[in-house]
Amino acid sequence: MNNEVTNSHLANQDFPLSLPEGKGSKPWRKNISTLLPTVLVLALMPVFLYGDLWFHLSMGKRLIITSVILLALVTAMRNGTVALLAFVYLVFLGGIRRWLIPVIGWVGTDPLILICPVVISLHFLGKLASRRLPTDTKLSRALFWLLLIMGAQVFNPQQGGLEVGVAGAMLYFGTILWFYVGRDAATSSLMNRMVWAVVVVGILCALYGLKQSYIGFSASEQEWLSKYAFSSAMLSGKVPRAFGFSTNGFEYAGLIGLAIVVCWAAFLRGNVAALMPLPLLGTALFLESVRTTTVETAFACFVLWAVQGRTLSSWAPRLILATILGVSGLIWSLRQVEQMDFDKDTQALVNHQTKGLLNPGDEKKSTAGIHGKMAQQGITSALSSPLGRGLGSTTSAAGKFGGTTGRTEFDLTDQFVSLGIVGGLLYCGVYVLIISNAFRFWHQSRTLASLAMLGIIVALPGGLLTMGMYPINMLVWFIIGAQDRATAECRAKQTIELRQRVAADDQVRQAIAEQPA
């Protein structure tokens, strides 16, 4: 009877009003002592890079730099700041690799890429060995089974050699496992720092990207563009797109889009000053000419305004109204921009943006139809290979190591290709739980962090595991873990409160029964 009451009670409960706080930060002296080894090695870095020892070898220098950054992040794991530092590092990873070209050259398989996957794998293996993996929520249990299926797909022979599966595991596991750091380390204060870090890096990226567009690229960036960058770095193979500090232009656009979403969330929560960076961020995003990110960012802003309604029933009509007004305003703005004159390169970027957004059904001007067909092919591929084609089959590693890549542009359909029908359906279930948690958490907490976290997830529909978006994917799965922690804390608290009420009721009934007739 008590179990039935408990389950019924918990089914009607919602999330706590804020993320749980940690046990308290360590004294500042301890924090300094934990970071001291990293500071000392960083101070000696010029000796390692420019000395006459064996470190003149390119890979030797890369390994030294990798070891230093790895040490810094492992050290940060002790005081809970690893997520923030890892996010900042991943934001600047592309820039770091390009700036090192004059010193140590360029290699496609760079150990610098492995740092965060190694750090997060160590954290996960430690939890696994000590049997402390969380399974107290629907999402954590579903994710555990998804990871098992992904692990089995590493060995699928259809993807090519085993190295393809291992590379796929590095990319996918190196992202998803940040969920467990979010479960362990997320507090309200840390999440506030994380969402504002998104704004700061977005502004820095936008400034540097506009510098690249109007002043020019550095010598190392020019070399990267001409020799090592993907074809998408050049619009129509002629006009270079800005990429800021990022690994590619799509990641750059995504970071700016998320910064816009967080600023909009802050404005909706009463911070008018948060509107100040929007002209800069909006200009940089528009000139990047990545139409998908532009649409996703606008949609996320519509959703954030819609969920300001106090009741769930008010969200749908508010979203419809916001979409009608927002799309109308966007179309009018694009018409105005279309009539302006720019220099040759800027004009090409503007035309690509305006013509595609104003004519989404025209295959000559928009790639929306192509993306839709690729998603459809992903589902068809899953039906023809119901057991999946292997974890690495939807990553760039497949082509690099001699396999056949089957990317479909969306991670939802990618997982059907990689994991088969069962794995794809399980990932869809995980995705639904993620979205549900994000909306419910905001509805009950009504804090800036929860609204910004919702906006970040909504701004990436079907793109929580998009290849080449390293800092964004890491941030999203850390946020997902933070929201799941709030769920677990809430249910534990509710269970205790319910048991206390039941015990109190039992005491009252017993006292009444013991009274003389």
Side-chain angles (χ1 to χ4, degrees), residues 1-12 495 498-499 502:
M1 178 68 180
N2 286 347
N3 289 337
E4 294 178 359
V5 174
T6 301
N7 293 335
S8 175
H9 175 78
L10 291 178
N12 295 322
T495 300
L498 180 59
R499 288 175 178 173
V502 171

Side-chain angles (χ1 to χ4, degrees), residues 25-38:
S25 59
K26 296 180 180 180
W28 63 271
R29 291 179 181 177
K30 274 190 177 180
N31 291 337
I32 290 178
S33 67
T34 57
L35 292 173
L36 187 59
T38 302

Side-chain angles (χ1 to χ4, degrees), residues 20-297:
E21 286 291 353
K23 297 179 180 179
S25 59
K26 296 180 180 180
W28 63 271
R29 291 179 181 177
K30 274 190 177 180
N31 291 337
I32 290 178
S33 67
T34 57
L35 292 173
L36 187 59
T38 302
V39 174
L40 291 176
V41 178
L42 285 173
L44 294 173
M45 182 64 71
V47 177
F48 295 145
L49 290 180
Y50 299 102
D52 295 328
L53 302 176
W54 69 275
F55 299 112
H56 72 281
L57 297 174
S58 177
M59 187 54 70
K61 292 179 178 180
R62 289 182 186 280
L63 291 174
I64 286 294
I65 299 171
T66 299
S67 300
V68 171
I69 300 174
L70 181 62
L71 174 62
L73 292 182
V74 170
T75 303
M77 190 71 78
R78 296 170 57 188
N79 56 23
T81 59
V82 63
L84 184 59
L85 294 179
F87 173 67
V88 173
Y89 167 69
L90 290 173
V91 167
F92 289 93
L93 176 59
I96 292 171
R97 296 180 67 198
R98 287 188 290 269
W99 297 330
L100 289 174
I101 289 177
V103 181
I104 56 178
W106 177 273
V107 293
T109 307
D110 196 329
L112 290 171
I113 301 174
L114 301 177
I115 291 174
C116 285
V118 168
V119 170
I120 194 60
S121 296
L122 290 174
H123 176 76
F124 175 76
L125 291 174
K127 293 182 69 67
L128 184 63
S130 59
R131 298 182 180 180
R132 291 187 294 112
L133 286 181
T135 55
D136 51 348
T137 63
K138 291 181 180 179
L139 177 57
S140 61
R141 290 191 292 272
L143 191 61
F144 176 77
W145 286 105
L146 180 66
L147 291 175
L148 286 180
I149 294 176
M150 285 185 164
Q153 288 290 347
V154 170
F155 305 97
N156 191 322
Q158 291 193 48
Q159 65 196 331
L162 180 60
E163 61 272 20
V164 178
V166 172
M170 182 193 73
L171 293 171
Y172 282 124
F173 282 97
T175 294
I176 295 176
L177 296 184
W178 284 102
F179 167 87
Y180 295 102
V181 179
R183 280 291 307 243
D184 289 344
T187 63
S188 57
S189 58
L190 176 59
M191 293 313 303
N192 280 324
R193 292 199 297 272
M194 289 290 288
V195 297
W196 283 114
V198 172
V199 176
V200 172
V201 300
I203 292 173
L204 293 176
C205 289
L207 288 171
Y208 195 73
L210 291 174
K211 173 264 176 189
Q212 291 172 331
S213 297
Y214 289 103
I215 299 178
F217 299 92
S218 67
S220 60
E221 290 167 347
Q222 288 281 9
E223 182 178 351
W224 179 79
L225 270 174
S226 61
K227 296 181 180 180
Y228 311 114
F230 290 112
S231 59
S232 58
M234 306 285 287
L235 181 63
S236 302
K238 300 177 181 178
V239 181
R241 285 169 158 154
F243 41 79
F245 310 107
S246 298
T247 304
N248 54 70
F250 296 107
E251 179 188 294
Y252 163 79
L255 288 168
I256 295 174
L258 294 187
I260 291 173
V261 169
V262 175
C263 286
W264 180 247
F267 167 71
L268 292 175
R269 299 309 299 158
N271 189 342
V272 179
L275 293 178
M276 293 177 62
L278 290 185
L280 168 70
L281 296 169
T283 300
L285 177 60
F286 185 81
L287 292 180
E288 183 60 13
S289 199
V290 178
R291 295 174 297 218
T292 301
T293 304
T294 302
V295 173
E296 290 172 347
T297 301

Side-chain angles (χ1 to χ4, degrees), residues 42 63 67 107 112 127 129 202 215 329 332 335 353 371 376 428 466 472 486 501 505:
L42 285 173
L63 291 174
S67 300
V107 293
L112 290 171
K127 293 182 69 67
I215 299 178
W332 181 86
R335 296 293 187 194
Q353 186 82 289
H371 295 312
Q376 184 179 359
C428 288
T466 304
I472 295 174
R501 286 199 296 269
D505 291 342

Side-chain angles (χ1 to χ4, degrees), residues 326-336 357-358:
V327 170
S328 300
L330 180 62
I331 292 174
W332 181 86
S333 300
L334 291 172
R335 296 293 187 194
Q336 302 305 308
L357 291 176
L358 291 173

Side-chain angles (χ1 to χ4, degrees), residues 333-347:
S333 300
L334 291 172
R335 296 293 187 194
Q336 302 305 308
V337 172
E338 204 174 25
Q339 299 175 11
M340 298 179 181
D341 293 325
F342 302 92
D343 61 82
K344 183 179 178 182
D345 287 351
T346 304
Q347 190 68 57

